[in-house]
Amino acid sequence: MKETLHKITSTLMALIVLLSTMSFSVDMHYCGDHLVDFSMFDKVDTCMMKAEKSKDSNSCEVMEMETETSCCSDIEVTIEGQDDLKISFDNLSFEQQQFVYSFAYSFINLFDAVDENITPFRDYVPPPLLRDVQILDQTFLI
């Protein structure tokens, strides 16, 4: 049980490090309020109407009309990953260094084994048994 929990935890931590360092972008193409194309790894395709109008543009007025009344929009969302994973101990402030040191010291000393078994009544000598009172009174715990 402990080994499988250890394996699951280490796998999850590796995935968290991988996902935090990976950067990706999402491209979306909207025509009006409707999502036409969505892409995570490649550029989105633009509207076909826009491409057809640009091919048939013999006059400048058609191009100007298209750009003014175009209801299509492209949105690109980019999420940057973390570049610097190694945090130096020198970059910490004095209070943070003191906290890390005291935490590590107390955590390590928490698991120190005691070399000597402490017996609180080591020097106690019981009184001498002159007669066995339980047998004389015949009182036994059952």
Side-chain angles (χ1 to χ4, degrees):
M1 177 70 179
K2 187 175 180 181
E3 292 177 10
T4 48
L5 183 64
H6 182 67
K7 288 179 182 179
I8 290 170
T9 306
S10 62
T11 305
L12 285 175
M13 289 176 69
L15 285 174
I16 288 172
V17 169
L18 176 71
L19 292 176
S20 69
T21 57
M22 188 173 72
S23 60
F24 61 94
S25 66
V26 177
D27 293 334
M28 296 175 279
H29 180 74
Y30 285 97
C31 280
D33 291 335
H34 300 286
L35 179 64
V36 176
D37 196 13
F38 173 82
S39 176
M40 283 188 85
F41 302 110
D42 200 17
K43 294 289 183 188
V44 293
D45 295 331
T46 58
C47 290
M48 292 299 178
M49 293 172 51
K50 190 174 183 180
E52 289 174 5
K53 286 182 181 178
S54 62
K55 288 179 186 176
D56 297 334
S57 61
N58 294 333
S59 65
C60 294
E61 294 175 4
V62 175
M63 286 295 286
E64 289 176 2
M65 288 292 290
E66 177 195 333
T67 57
E68 289 176 6
T69 60
S70 177
C71 62
C72 296
S73 63
D74 292 328
I75 298 174
E76 181 177 350
V77 178
T78 304
I79 298 174
E80 293 294 328
Q82 185 179 5
D83 290 335
D84 186 25
L85 289 180
K86 186 176 180 182
I87 298 172
S88 176
F89 193 70
D90 298 335
N91 294 341
L92 299 176
S93 68
F94 179 71
E95 289 82 15
Q96 290 172 337
Q97 288 179 5
Q98 189 175 10
F99 173 76
V100 169
Y101 176 75
S102 62
F103 179 77
Y105 180 77
S106 63
F107 188 75
I108 289 170
N109 287 335
L110 182 66
F111 298 109
D112 280 348
V114 179
D115 295 334
E116 180 184 334
N117 287 334
I118 300 172
T119 309
F121 300 110
R122 182 179 55 201
D123 297 328
Y124 175 74
V125 179
L129 184 62
L130 300 175
R131 59 178 181 240
D132 197 2
V133 178
Q134 291 176 342
I135 293 178
L136 289 174
D137 295 336
Q138 293 187 1
T139 54
F140 305 104
L141 296 176
I142 298 177

